Amino acid sequence: MIDVARRHRGTASIILAVAAAALVAGVSVGAQADDDWWSPDSGRTFQASKDYGNPGGILRVLLKDGPMETRGHPFFSAVGPSGRACVTCHQPADSMSLSAKSAQDRWDRTAGKDPLFAAYDGSDCPTLPQAERASHSLLLDHGLIRIQRPWPAQDVAGKPIKADFDIEVVRDPTTCNSGGFGPDKGKISVYRRPRPVANLKYLLAVGFAYDPKQGMPLPLDPESGKPMSGNLMADGRAGTLNAQMRDASSTHLALLKHMDAADMARIVDFESRVFAAQQIDAAGSRVDTGGAEGGPAKLANSEAGQLGSIGRPVWSEFEAWEKPAPGLSPKQAAFRASVARGAKVFRDKTFLISDSAGINSPIGFGNPVRNSCVFCHNMTQMGNDVAPGQVDLGTTNQPFADPMPWLPLFRITCKGPPHPHYGRVIYTSDPGYALTTGRCADVGKITLQSMRGLSARAPYFSNGVAKDLRGVVDFYERRYKIGYTEQEKQDLVNLMSVL
């Protein structure tokens, strides 16, 4: 109990120190809990710039050509029987995503009555007693929303795809893959983190005319005929914002019909203008000073889709922090130097990447292949993948995944050729991209996450298995046996905390 109390006091001290430094620097700091949370139909003004405190410093959310009145706007308006709006799961203070901490706070403040906890996907399963906290444990403890996928998989027209694997339920702690649910009923429930709807021009940018991971041309948007980036959703089931909205309106918002074209156009306009990134670091200094070019303003005004190995190296915007700037405290100078070192480790420390579908197969860069973090996190200013980002890092597939007894476990049996890295039988908590393609070779592939605003939206990875940024580094260390020193691990954490 004493250790817990000390940790809470320490976190509070950091946030207060950051807030004080921000005010001295002339930066406005956002209000606390009640004002930070956006409820549907609040009628508030979405400001052109607003700051929100978090354990890593202060996040800034920009709206280009803002401010914007939200009354009557479809992103902020309650729809459907649950009373949810898009903003319910895409909160500005959480970098337009949803943190587990915010979910816990809403449960405590509303006694579990907030629309966030709607039975369909805000609980572990709709059949559980909804008034009990335990029925919402995955959202409250791990920041996970239930995603119900059809089985067999379906193409964009809703026609079944003949899968080359069978799927069986081995473990079902949520009871949502058995009874009236489950593969035998045409439904599979997996649990994932809400992806942020900020900085979307980077996620939608098409960096290649083909998918180098598959050796195939990019799929085309059936509406516009243009190539789709493949970086929008965790399992690649929707390649455009319109397709994503249709998916969300019929599931998360529980609408009986899709949004109309006018509403979708207004949402796309809003989401295309929102940029979010850390503005003040944990040491209390701005990330766009001292020669650095961090912060959301740089994101808003930079060209998307640039490959770091060709243009400006990834995270080189922090190179200037290698040398201390005048007026910094020793703590600030040391923190900045650590961030600069972390950027170099991210780019330059190579390791052997093995048995990772989407990298080592199907067309393959070799198995293993030696490279660094920027092999996949290669887009300048953003750190996501310029190419379509479906990769199996092992976050959901055994034997690489961490133990996650709170999640379902599926046994995949390949009916055709065995998986190139796992063989004929695979155990996974989330088949990922395979639920979209029906291909055994895609089991466990997940679209790479964007790397901005990380401090505001813990936990991490699609299944929330990393509770903090150190957990992200530790997972990669275990998975690929990289050999990071303790200093390198802390430098990487500090780097990610300022993005």
Side-chain angles (χ1 to χ4, degrees):
M1 292 294 293
I2 293 175
D3 288 343
V4 171
R6 284 175 178 167
R7 283 198 295 271
H8 283 302
R9 286 198 299 271
T11 299
S13 298
I14 291 171
I15 293 175
L16 287 173
V18 168
L23 290 172
V24 169
V27 178
S28 60
V29 180
Q32 295 301 311
D34 284 338
D35 289 338
D36 283 356
W37 181 264
W38 280 72
S39 294
D41 294 322
S42 62
R44 297 160 61 182
T45 299
F46 200 100
Q47 298 178 17
S49 176
K50 186 169 175 60
D51 294 344
Y52 300 91
N54 57 60
I58 291 176
L59 176 88
R60 176 165 292 179
V61 179
L62 297 182
L63 181 64
K64 288 194 74 172
D65 303 320
M68 185 186 82
E69 297 301 322
T70 65
R71 189 174 300 280
H73 192 285
F75 189 91
F76 300 89
S77 298
V79 293
S82 67
R84 272 187 183 172
C86 301
V87 74
T88 302
C89 294
H90 299 285
Q91 291 287 322
D94 296 343
S95 195
M96 301 304 293
S97 177
L98 180 71
S99 68
K101 182 179 183 300
S102 290
Q104 294 162 9
D105 183 72
R106 293 315 292 168
W107 180 271
D108 293 340
R109 288 174 177 273
T110 67
K113 301 277 194 302
D114 194 278
L116 173 62
F117 305 106
Y120 177 79
D121 59 356
S123 67
D124 298 350
C125 195
T127 57
L128 297 173
Q130 296 301 302
E132 297 181 9
R133 188 194 189 282
S135 300
H136 305 267
S137 63
L138 294 184
L139 175 54
L140 292 169
D141 297 336
H142 307 283
L144 302 175
I145 292 287
R146 187 177 79 95
I147 308 293
Q148 182 174 287
R149 298 301 318 275
W151 187 253
Q154 298 178 0
D155 62 19
V156 292
K159 295 181 179 179
I161 296 172
K162 187 175 181 179
D164 67 358
F165 63 89
D166 291 324
I167 184 167
E168 303 168 80
V169 180
V170 176
R171 182 179 67 220
D172 186 25
T174 69
T175 72
C176 230
N177 282 291
S178 56
F181 299 89
D184 59 329
K185 300 296 183 181
K187 305 169 184 176
I188 293 178
S189 290
V190 291
Y191 300 82
R192 298 177 185 153
R193 299 282 292 115
R195 293 171 72 88
V197 291
N199 313 317
L200 288 182
K201 74 176 182 180
Y202 293 88
L203 300 183
L204 296 170
V206 175
F208 291 97
Y210 68 98
D211 178 356
K213 296 181 177 68
Q214 302 288 340
M216 300 175 63
L218 291 180
L220 301 179
D221 175 8
E223 296 180 40
S224 69
K226 296 179 179 180
M228 298 184 292
S229 70
N231 282 324
L232 192 58
M233 300 190 75
D235 57 15
R237 67 184 183 275
T240 67
L241 290 179
N242 280 354
Q244 184 274 329
M245 281 185 279
R246 293 190 187 100
D247 178 86
S249 64
S250 62
T251 56
H252 308 307
L253 298 178
L255 299 185
L256 298 179
K257 62 179 182 179
H258 293 312
M259 296 179 183
D260 62 32
D263 281 347
M264 288 197 296
R266 293 180 71 189
I267 293 176
V268 169
D269 170 73
F270 167 71
E271 292 180 342
S272 300
R273 294 188 289 121
V274 176
F275 296 88
Q278 206 76 344
Q279 180 66 22
I280 293 180
D281 63 38
S285 61
R286 292 175 61 125
V287 301
D288 57 357
T289 60
E293 296 178 298
K298 185 68 176 180
L299 283 175
N301 297 307
S302 296
E303 184 179 356
Q306 299 300 297
L307 186 64
S309 61
I310 297 175
R312 187 174 185 183
V314 177
W315 311 138
S316 58
E317 52 263 51
F318 296 105
E319 282 182 348
W321 277 7
E322 289 183 277
K323 300 177 181 179
L328 293 178
S329 69
K331 178 181 178 181
Q332 289 172 329
F335 184 85
R336 288 188 172 196
S338 175
V339 169
R341 290 194 303 269
K344 284 191 171 183
V345 171
F346 193 93
R347 291 193 305 269
D348 299 340
K349 179 140 188 169
T350 63
F351 49 92
L352 292 176
I353 304 168
S354 61
D355 298 329
S356 298
I359 299 176
N360 307 113
S361 63
I363 62 171
F365 296 97
N367 188 26
V369 59
R370 179 172 287 280
N371 217 301
S372 67
C373 298
V374 297
F375 193 41
C376 293
H377 298 281
N378 49 49
M379 186 183 290
T380 60
Q381 299 294 336
M382 193 63 178
N384 59 289
D385 201 343
V386 171
Q390 286 80 35
V391 170
D392 167 31
L393 297 175
T395 54
T396 69
N397 290 349
Q398 295 183 2
F400 303 116
D402 290 342
M404 294 172 285
W406 52 86
L407 289 180
L409 184 66
F410 304 97
R411 179 168 52 238
I412 305 293
T413 304
C414 305
K415 295 189 290 187
H419 189 282
H421 308 302
Y422 297 103
R424 192 167 298 280
V425 177
I426 310 165
Y427 290 88
T428 183
S429 62
D430 185 347
Y433 192 42
L435 294 178
T436 299
T437 67
R439 296 193 299 253
C440 187
D442 292 332
V443 171
K445 285 185 181 178
I446 300 290
T447 304
L448 271 66
Q449 299 278 321
S450 60
M451 292 191 67
R452 287 293 189 163
L454 290 171
S455 288
R457 52 185 177 92
Y460 307 104
F461 294 125
S462 65
N463 55 9
V465 68
K467 66 178 181 179
D468 53 27
L469 293 175
R470 176 58 185 258
V472 173
V473 177
D474 287 343
F475 176 84
Y476 279 102
E477 171 68 26
R478 291 193 302 271
R479 172 64 178 89
Y480 296 114
K481 300 178 176 62
I482 298 172
Y484 287 133
T485 66
E486 188 62 31
Q487 182 64 67
E488 287 172 332
K489 291 178 182 180
Q490 188 59 54
D491 292 342
L492 285 168
V493 168
N494 289 344
L495 167 69
M496 290 189 289
S497 75
V498 304
L499 299 180

